[in-house]
């Protein structure tokens, strides 16, 4: 019998429940002359039998994922921008009541949240390895240190600016396989009564709605409340609050503090109880999910193949990171989807990771409209479908593949 790999957090045995095959770095959009240099890894996911953390079995190296030219920009979605502005307002009302409080954001990208804090005169610093995103953040008035966040970075920041009242992060903590160094950094940086607040996709929603494309290189961990609670304790902190938020199809906002520094809210135990009821920490739940993923993949390829045979034009909408999983797992290339439209200038003129579907500006979608749009950015469905009313009004239809393949 082969020995199970060990959990990155607790060294317990990790049981694989799905292998999504050979996959590229999901945000690495090669130029047409760069396709030979792409790096691939095996995207396999498992669950730890001890702490129940869902995690990948092999990691794509971080220096390959988060480079200076990392193309993702939070601000391309109005919904996300609004959300991060609200986070800034919420932090100001609840935590940043002293005039000199410092906020550090891990993975601040183009600085929507920090720009809003900066405009309100709040002391802040973003930490992000992407120089391009940091430049965009600077244009919003946000100050950024271009680096990964680890213990050494935290020591340097503390020496320069003193302790932080709030360490915030959105959609980043789950990306770091060596999460221990993040917590050591937070420990170095946080005031005795400060909080570490992080938002990330919720594995409970991913399983419930079969959001299988949330599994890609960057999402090294898929968080449950139970597993994050155990993780915080292991690293010398306490999970004191958890809140559901609608971002990215269903996320959680975790609040972590030093043990005893803050009262622990009922939300934590309530959600851990709910997760037990829905068997979120159990291997069998994920095996069922894996069978569902197989079915969706088969159905999607069948639909696209039928549409091509019928002479229908299908265009991808949103060159999301998530779409790397879908296209590479299903083997969907330019023969089935000739191009993907995306509003991010950094992605346009490039090719989708692995399957090399060209990425074109939004104008290519409009003129002429295709018969079908395959909505890779399904998490922004409301915003996009509203914006594209004319597409549907003149007979265009949307293809969605979560929680199953359907046409609307
Ligand atoms: P998103 O779903 O936020 O993230 P992820 O990469 O984590 O899966 O990415 C949305 C992508 O879709 C991004 O590349 C911008 C693009 N997009 C459009 O092209 N048009 C739109 O109207 C919106 C909202 C997004
Ligand atoms: Zn574990």
């Amino acid at each position: 019998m082969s020995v199970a790999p060990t959990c990155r957090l607790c060294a317990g045995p990790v049981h694989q429940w799905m292998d999504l095959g050979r996959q590229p770095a999901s945000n690495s959009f090669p130029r047409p002359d760069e396709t030979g240099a792409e790096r691939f890894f095996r995207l396999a996911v498992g669950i730890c039998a001890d702490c129940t953390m869902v995690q990948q079995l092999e990691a794509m190296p971080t220096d390959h994922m988060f480079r200076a030219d990392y193309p993702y920009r939070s601000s391309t979605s109005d919904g996300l921008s609004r959300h991060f502005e609200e986070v800034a307002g919420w932090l100001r009302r609840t935590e940043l009541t002293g005039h000199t409080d410092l906020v550090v954001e891990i993975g601040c990208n183009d600085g929507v949240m920090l720009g809003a804090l900066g405009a309100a005169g709040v002391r802040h610093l973003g930490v992000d390895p992407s120089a391009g995103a940091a430049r965009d953040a600077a244009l919003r008035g946000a100050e950024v240190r271009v680096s990964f966040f680890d213990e050494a970075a935290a020591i340097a920041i503390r020496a320069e600016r003193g302790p932080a009242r709030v360490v915030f992060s959105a959609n980043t903590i789950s990306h770091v396989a060596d999460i221990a160094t993040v917590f050591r950094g937070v420990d170095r940086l946080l005031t005795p009564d400060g909080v570490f607040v992080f938002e990330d996709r919720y594995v409970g929603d991913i399983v419930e709605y079969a959001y299988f494309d949330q599994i890609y290189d960057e999402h090294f961990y898929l968080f449950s409340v139970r597993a994050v609670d155990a993780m915080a304790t292991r690293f010398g902190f306490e999970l004191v609050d958890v809140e559901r938020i609608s971002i990215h199809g269903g996320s959680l906002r975790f609040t972590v503090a030093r043990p005893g520094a803050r009262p622990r809210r009922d939300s934590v135990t309530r959600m851990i109880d709910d997760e037990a009821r829905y068997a979120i920490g159990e291997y069998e739940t994920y095996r069922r999910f894996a069978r569902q993923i197989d079915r969706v993949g088969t159905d999607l390829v069948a639909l696209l193949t039928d549409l091509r045979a019928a002479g229908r034009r299908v265009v991808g909408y949103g060159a999301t990171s998530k779409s790397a999983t879908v296209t590479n797992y299903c083997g969907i290339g330019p023969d089935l989807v000739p191009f993907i439209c995306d509003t991010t200038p950094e992605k346009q003129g490039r090719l989708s990771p692995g399957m090399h579907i060209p990425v074109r500006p939004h104008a290519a979608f409009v003129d002429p409209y295709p018969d079908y749009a395959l909505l890779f950015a399904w998490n922004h469905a409301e915003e996009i479908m509203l914006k594209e009313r004319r597409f549907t009004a003149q007979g265009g239809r949307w293809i969605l593949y979560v929680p199953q393949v359907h046409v609307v």
Side-chain angles (χ1 to χ4, degrees):
M1 217 179 82
S2 66
V3 181
T6 50
C7 174
R8 299 269 189 155
L9 300 173
C10 78
V14 177
H15 299 301
Q16 177 179 313
W17 51 266
M18 180 98 204
D19 183 344
L20 288 140
R22 181 175 174 269
Q23 294 275 349
S26 62
N27 262 300
S28 169
F29 289 78
R31 279 193 304 266
D33 62 334
E34 281 177 339
T35 52
E38 269 183 295
R39 182 109 166 231
F40 291 85
F41 81 127
R42 186 176 74 101
L43 178 58
V45 256
I47 181 165
C48 172
D50 291 347
C51 77
T52 76
M53 183 66 89
V54 174
Q55 58 200 274
Q56 293 178 19
L57 283 92
E58 289 173 20
M60 172 68 83
T62 37
D63 58 349
H64 200 73
M65 289 191 277
F66 309 112
R67 298 184 303 199
D69 62 350
Y70 186 69
Y72 182 83
R73 295 293 183 273
S74 311
S75 63
T76 46
S77 149
D78 295 343
L80 269 187
S81 294
R82 213 173 316 118
H83 171 71
F84 290 129
E85 279 156 15
E86 279 165 18
V87 170
W90 171 73
L91 286 176
R92 285 179 59 211
R93 285 194 306 279
T94 56
E95 294 292 339
L96 304 169
T97 44
H99 286 303
T100 56
D101 289 338
L102 172 69
V103 178
V104 171
E105 181 175 4
I106 306 172
C108 63
N109 197 262
D110 53 1
V112 178
M113 207 283 286
L114 290 181
L117 287 182
V122 177
R123 282 178 64 224
H124 67 270
L125 182 69
V127 186
D128 198 299
S130 162
R135 265 194 305 275
D136 290 356
L139 297 175
R140 288 196 170 78
E143 205 183 326
V144 183
R145 174 193 170 93
V146 178
S147 82
F148 285 96
F149 181 88
D150 54 17
E151 191 176 11
I155 291 170
I157 294 167
R158 170 134 191 175
E160 270 169 31
R161 314 198 173 213
R165 167 83 185 180
V166 175
V167 176
F168 176 79
S169 186
N171 310 306
T172 302
I173 300 305
S174 69
H175 298 27
V176 189
D178 183 13
I179 220 166
T181 188
V182 171
F183 274 87
R184 282 198 301 272
V186 171
D187 187 31
R188 295 280 185 170
L189 202 51
L190 211 57
T191 59
D193 60 347
V195 282
F196 175 28
V197 178
F198 56 97
E199 301 180 351
D200 235 301
R201 280 119 176 125
Y202 180 35
V203 75
D205 289 320
I206 291 173
V207 170
E208 182 171 357
Y209 302 106
Y211 294 148
F212 72 99
D213 54 351
Q214 290 289 11
I215 306 167
Y216 55 87
D217 58 344
E218 294 178 3
H219 295 170
F220 187 84
Y221 298 102
L222 299 179
F223 288 157
S224 68
V225 180
R226 176 176 165 187
V228 168
D229 184 41
M231 173 174 81
T233 305
R234 169 166 295 272
F235 294 134
F237 286 87
E238 185 181 13
L239 177 63
V240 293
D241 197 7
V242 62
E243 192 187 333
R244 294 187 86 130
I245 49 178
S246 61
I247 298 304
H248 291 304
S251 298
L252 293 177
R253 177 186 292 149
F254 298 98
T255 303
V256 165
R258 298 190 189 276
R262 302 279 179 119
R264 179 163 154 120
R265 307 226 170 193
D266 296 342
S267 55
V268 179
T269 34
R270 208 172 47 235
M271 281 207 66
I272 291 176
D273 291 347
D274 284 350
E275 288 178 351
R277 226 175 357 262
Y278 292 103
I280 292 303
E282 285 168 35
Y283 179 74
E284 219 7 83
T285 303
Y286 294 90
R287 280 301 302 157
R288 253 197 320 275
F289 180 30
R291 288 193 289 274
Q292 203 175 349
I293 297 173
D294 265 339
R295 200 161 47 240
V296 169
T298 310
D299 291 352
L300 182 58
V301 172
L303 173 65
L304 294 175
T305 309
D306 288 351
L307 290 174
R308 181 180 57 186
R312 299 279 186 270
R313 259 185 88 227
V314 181
V315 162
Y317 199 108
T320 56
S321 330
K322 297 182 284 290
S323 65
T325 294
V326 181
T327 54
N328 286 276
Y329 174 64
C330 299
I332 298 170
D335 53 325
L336 289 174
V337 176
F339 69 88
I340 304 173
C341 72
D342 196 289
T343 51
T344 316
E346 286 78 2
K347 297 180 184 178
Q348 295 163 359
R350 295 181 169 243
L351 302 175
S352 77
M355 293 309 294
H356 304 160
I357 303 174
V359 181
R360 304 234 172 103
H362 180 259
F365 174 71
V366 176
D367 189 22
Y369 279 130
D371 300 303
Y372 291 83
L374 173 54
L375 187 55
F376 288 125
W378 52 258
N379 47 318
H380 305 294
E382 217 175 305
E383 177 179 335
I384 290 172
M385 288 181 182
L386 187 69
K387 195 157 64 184
E388 303 294 358
R389 292 187 293 274
R390 281 191 47 224
F391 165 61
T392 27
Q394 54 82 57
R397 311 194 60 187
W398 295 99
I399 301 172
L400 286 119
Y401 51 82
V402 288
Q404 68 266 319
V405 176
H406 59 292
V407 176
V408 294

